[in-house]
Amino acid sequence: MGLLDDIVLSPNEALQTECEPIQTIDREVKKLADRMLKIMYAAEGCGLAAPQVGVLKQLVVIDCDYTGKGSKKNPYVLINPSIVTADGDPRDFQEGCLSFPGISVSVTRPSHVVVQAYDLDGDLLQYEAEGNLMAVCLQHEIDHLHGVTMVDHLSPIKRAEALREYDEALSAGARPGETEVEE
Ligand code: NI
């Protein structure tokens, strides 16, 4: 059993449930954030939401700068994040998700986003991103807190196709963090 085994894989109720806001930033919350960062880095993902480790609380961790072992870490912990603005030209991005090992799907989202969230010190911070991985990641992770995953943004046909591909990838032994199955 490794850290990757803590990741909840689709299909799972936790990935389709509205998460509760965090009332108090206590030791438990700090421990949760710490554990989620460890899991995210172990899987070399750029974001992880609490429901993906089976905790139905509004907390996400993000690091869009980390590119693998030895690279500099730039972790963000977002508590009760909310999207203030999502606008700008819609942009397609090939997204992966640690809860869907073995696949990536093209999702169209607004290119510009402003997010407000508390940090671990209880300060309300604002994050703004445009046309980059961070803009995508913020929206993808906040979706998870509302029971929405990347495949929910696809047309019914594309969604069915992606889920079929996902089933095949899982049977082939895909692990969280992999977006393609080795041939
Ligand atoms: Ni995800």
Side-chain angles (χ1 to χ4, degrees):
M1 292 290 279
L3 284 169
L4 299 195
D5 296 306
D6 288 349
I7 297 173
V8 167
L9 302 185
S10 177
N12 188 295
E13 185 80 29
L15 299 175
Q16 295 173 312
T17 305
E18 180 72 26
C19 295
E20 295 287 329
I22 288 171
Q23 305 296 345
T24 320
I25 301 167
D26 54 15
R27 254 177 58 99
E28 284 303 303
V29 171
K30 286 175 186 165
K31 268 171 59 182
L32 173 63
D34 195 50
R35 183 161 76 91
M36 285 171 57
L37 282 167
K38 282 202 182 89
I39 293 168
M40 180 185 77
Y41 287 123
E44 298 196 357
C46 59
L48 185 68
Q52 292 182 277
V53 296
V55 179
L56 300 177
K57 295 273 168 67
Q58 292 189 13
L59 192 152
V60 308
V61 295
I62 290 178
D63 189 339
C64 289
D65 297 317
Y66 186 71
T67 52
K69 269 201 179 73
S71 98
K72 204 165 129 31
K73 290 178 179 171
N74 186 20
Y76 290 98
V77 175
L78 280 72
I79 296 166
N80 301 346
S82 64
I83 292 183
V84 179
T85 310
D87 58 10
D89 291 337
R91 196 161 178 266
D92 300 333
F93 193 88
Q94 201 68 28
E95 299 186 17
C97 179
L98 295 179
S99 294
F100 289 84
I103 64 163
S104 64
V105 296
S106 180
V107 178
T108 309
R109 300 182 189 269
S111 54
H112 171 246
V113 66
V114 178
V115 167
Q116 275 188 352
Y118 292 93
D119 66 7
L120 284 172
D121 297 319
D123 294 322
L124 185 62
L125 301 183
Q126 188 156 299
Y127 303 83
E128 183 168 19
E130 182 157 23
N132 56 12
L133 179 60
M134 184 69 170
V136 173
C137 198
L138 282 166
Q139 295 177 75
H140 176 122
E141 299 311 331
I142 291 172
D143 268 355
H144 274 301
L145 304 181
H146 304 290
V148 175
T149 63
M150 61 182 189
V151 297
D152 297 326
H153 288 275
L154 306 177
S155 68
I157 290 174
K158 292 267 184 211
R159 187 173 192 272
E161 206 174 280
L163 292 178
R164 197 161 47 238
E165 200 191 323
Y166 170 58
D167 280 343
E168 284 166 19
L170 269 192
S171 321
R175 298 279 288 151
E178 297 171 0
T179 50
E180 269 172 53
V181 181
E182 304 285 325
E183 297 286 323

Coordinates of all heavy atoms in Angstrom, one line a residue, residues 52 97 140-141 144, ligand 1:
Q52 N -11.3 13.5 -3.4 CA -10.5 12.5 -4.1 C -9.7 11.6 -3.1 O -9.0 10.6 -3.5 CB -9.5 13.1 -5.1 CG -10.2 13.8 -6.3 CD -9.2 14.4 -7.2 OE1 -8.8 15.5 -7.0 NE2 -8.8 13.6 -8.2
C97 N -6.9 13.5 -14.6 CA -7.4 13.6 -13.3 C -6.9 12.3 -12.5 O -7.0 11.2 -13.1 CB -8.9 13.6 -13.3 SG -9.7 13.7 -11.7
H140 N -10.9 22.9 -12.5 CA -11.1 21.5 -12.4 C -11.2 21.0 -10.9 O -12.1 20.2 -10.6 CB -9.8 20.8 -13.1 CG -9.8 19.3 -13.0 ND1 -9.7 18.5 -14.1 CD2 -9.7 18.5 -11.9 CE1 -9.6 17.3 -13.7 NE2 -9.6 17.2 -12.4
E141 N -10.3 21.6 -10.1 CA -10.3 21.2 -8.6 C -11.6 21.7 -7.9 O -12.2 21.0 -7.1 CB -9.1 21.7 -7.9 CG -7.8 21.1 -8.5 CD -7.7 19.6 -8.7 OE1 -8.4 18.9 -8.0 OE2 -7.0 19.2 -9.6
H144 N -14.5 19.5 -8.4 CA -14.6 18.3 -7.6 C -15.3 18.6 -6.3 O -15.9 17.6 -5.7 CB -13.1 17.9 -7.2 CG -12.5 17.0 -8.2 ND1 -13.0 15.8 -8.6 CD2 -11.3 17.2 -8.9 CE1 -12.2 15.2 -9.5 NE2 -11.1 16.1 -9.7
Ligands
NI1 NI -9.5 15.8 -10.9

